[in-house]
Amino acid sequence: MFDVITFGSATRDVYLKFRKPFLDLKENVKAKNIPFLGNVCFILGSKVDVEDVFFTFGGGGTNSAVTFAKQGFKTAFCGAVGDDIRGKIIVDELKKYKIDTKFIVKKKGMKSGYSVVLGEQTDRIILAYRGASKYLDIKDVNVGKMRAKWFYLAPLSGCSCGFARKIFDYAIKKGIKVAINPSKDLINKYKKWIIRVSSKIDVLILNKEELCFLLGKSFVINDLEIKKYIDEIKITPKILIVTKGEEGASVFLRDKILTARALKVKIVDKTGAGDAFGSGFVSGLLKGLDIKESLQLATANSAGCITKVGAHEGTLLANSSYKKVKVKEINI
C-alpha cells in the first residue's frame, strides 16, 4: 500500500533567465513608442539575449509527488504523458526520487506537456502546453490496484476533469482520504458537484483566485468574510485551506481559523509554491502532526520551494525545521 498517490499534470519545463530584468525590457518597449499596458512585451522580429537555460520537470501532480517522496512517504504518481522523449524524461526523473510510475498513462500519438518559464523572481510568465495531461481517462488506469492512505488531486484540466470526479468517487468508496486542489477549469465545469461533495473532502486547497471563482465573488476582504461566504453556500470540507501568496495562508475549521504568514526568504522562483504548500500540509497529516504543525510544515515547504529555480527543487527533506513559522488562531 502507498502512503499517497498524487494525480495531476506532468510537464517538461525550461526556464529562461534574461541578462536584463523584465523592467529593463519594459523600458525598451517604451523607448520605441510602443504602447505598454502592464504586460511584458517583446518587439516583433527582435532577438533577446538569454543568460541561462535550466531544464527540469513540473506539473502539479509531479511537484506534489516530489514533496511526499522527500518527506519519506511511499509515493506514486498518476498522470498522462505523451509517447515521446519528453514523457520518458519525466518518468525517469520521477524514478530518481523513488516515486512509483506504474500508474502513468502514455498516450500514443500525443505530446507530453511542456512549459516555458520566462523571467526571474517575482517577474515571470509561464507559457504552458498541457499536451497529454489534459486527456487522463479512468479507462486507461488500473484503478483496482490503487491502494493508498491518501489520494492527492492536484489541478487537472480539459478532459481530465471528468477523471477527477471518478477517482474521487472511487476513493470515497474505498475509504481513502482525499485532498483536492481544484483547477479553475474543474471549478468551472463542476462547481455544483464540488459544493455537493465538499463534506466528504478531507482537505480542500484553494488559492484566493480559485476561492473567489468558486464563491462567484470578484474579491474577498478577510478571513471572516471568507468564513461567512463558505457557510452561506455550504462548502463544508473537514479542512479548507486558502493560500494568499505573500500574505501566507489560512486554515478554516468548524470552530476556528488558523493563519500563518509567509516566511521572508530570498525569492528566486515562485513556480510550484502552491503545490509545495498543499502537499506539505498533507505530509504533516500523514506524519500525525496536528493542524497547527501541518500548517507550519506547509508554510516552510512553500518557502523552501521559492528559494531555488524549479517547481520542486527547494522543497524540504523529512528532517528539515519548520517550527519557526508563527501561527495565529482565531476562535469563531
Side-chain angles (χ1 to χ4, degrees):
M1 175 183 284
F2 293 100
D3 291 311
V4 59
I5 301 175
T6 70
F7 303 83
S9 59
T11 63
R12 181 68 166 150
D13 293 350
V14 57
Y15 289 74
L16 304 181
K17 182 178 180 181
F18 293 94
R19 291 185 182 278
K20 295 182 178 181
F22 271 6
L23 288 177
D24 287 348
L25 295 173
K26 295 171 187 176
E27 291 303 319
N28 287 339
V29 171
K30 290 180 182 179
K32 295 182 181 295
N33 295 318
I34 297 175
F36 175 68
L37 301 177
N39 301 309
V40 173
C41 302
F42 295 101
I43 300 169
L44 191 63
S46 65
K47 183 178 289 186
V48 179
D49 286 339
V50 174
E51 183 178 350
D52 199 4
V53 178
F54 177 74
F55 286 93
T56 182
F57 69 95
T62 55
N63 294 338
S64 303
V66 170
T67 281
F68 290 120
K70 290 172 75 172
Q71 286 294 313
F73 298 112
K74 188 176 181 182
T75 306
F77 166 68
C78 177
V81 299
D83 187 19
D84 55 11
I85 187 63
R86 291 204 298 270
K88 183 180 184 305
I89 291 172
I90 291 168
V91 172
D92 290 344
E93 289 295 321
L94 287 169
K95 288 179 178 178
K96 290 180 182 179
Y97 286 98
K98 298 182 180 180
I99 295 167
D100 198 295
T101 60
K102 65 184 175 185
F103 299 122
I104 292 180
V105 176
K106 292 183 180 179
K107 290 284 188 177
K108 291 185 178 180
M110 290 189 184
K111 297 177 182 178
S112 297
Y114 195 84
S115 292
V116 179
V117 184
L118 307 175
E120 55 186 27
Q121 297 181 347
T122 57
D123 287 328
R124 65 185 171 93
I125 296 173
I126 300 177
L127 308 179
Y129 170 71
R130 308 294 180 186
S133 289
K134 292 173 60 176
Y135 299 97
L136 184 60
D137 194 311
I138 198 76
K139 297 177 183 177
D140 299 328
V141 181
N142 192 342
V143 179
K145 290 189 176 182
M146 287 186 169
R147 295 180 176 85
K149 298 173 184 176
W150 279 84
F151 279 1
Y152 186 95
L153 276 67
L156 287 161
S157 60
C159 299
S160 297
C161 290
F163 172 89
R165 288 189 60 172
K166 292 175 183 177
I167 204 68
F168 175 83
D169 290 341
Y170 173 80
I172 299 305
K173 180 180 179 181
K174 295 296 182 179
I176 300 169
K177 292 185 177 181
V178 182
I180 302 181
N181 178 200
S183 64
K184 285 185 68 175
D185 197 10
L186 182 66
I187 295 171
N188 184 49
K189 292 179 179 179
Y190 299 120
K191 177 178 176 178
K192 291 181 179 179
W193 172 79
I194 293 172
I195 295 172
R196 188 176 75 249
V197 304
S198 64
S199 63
K200 299 178 181 179
I201 299 173
D202 292 280
V203 182
L204 178 60
I205 307 155
L206 301 163
N207 62 33
K208 211 167 182 179
E209 181 183 6
E210 292 159 349
L211 172 71
C212 290
F213 196 56
L214 181 60
L215 294 173
K217 305 290 183 181
S218 56
F219 64 91
V220 288
I221 298 173
N222 55 43
D223 286 348
L224 292 178
E225 186 179 61
I226 291 173
K227 185 68 171 67
K228 172 189 172 185
Y229 288 144
I230 62 177
D231 286 346
E232 283 179 356
I233 66 172
K234 295 182 172 54
I235 299 175
T236 57
K238 295 179 178 69
I239 299 171
L240 171 65
I241 299 173
V242 179
T243 60
K244 312 166 193 174
E246 294 180 1
E247 296 177 24
S250 294
V251 178
F252 294 82
L253 304 173
R254 297 281 194 273
D255 59 347
K256 66 180 67 175
I257 302 172
L258 280 68
T259 301
R261 293 196 64 83
L263 291 174
K264 292 183 179 180
V265 296
K266 182 180 179 181
I267 300 173
V268 176
D269 172 31
K270 288 186 174 181
T271 310
D275 298 325
F277 187 96
S279 53
F281 186 90
V282 175
S283 291
L285 299 182
L286 273 164
K287 288 174 180 283
L289 303 181
D290 61 24
I291 302 298
K292 177 183 175 181
E293 289 180 307
S294 296
L295 177 56
Q296 289 176 311
L297 177 56
T299 302
N301 196 50
S302 183
C305 178
I306 64 178
T307 61
K308 291 187 178 181
V309 176
H312 51 74
E313 273 74 9
T315 49
L316 304 182
L317 296 172
N319 59 353
S320 299
S321 174
Y322 58 86
K323 291 291 184 72
K324 62 182 178 181
V325 176
K326 295 181 179 180
V327 176
K328 180 180 178 182
E329 185 174 319
I330 301 174
N331 293 315
I332 51 177

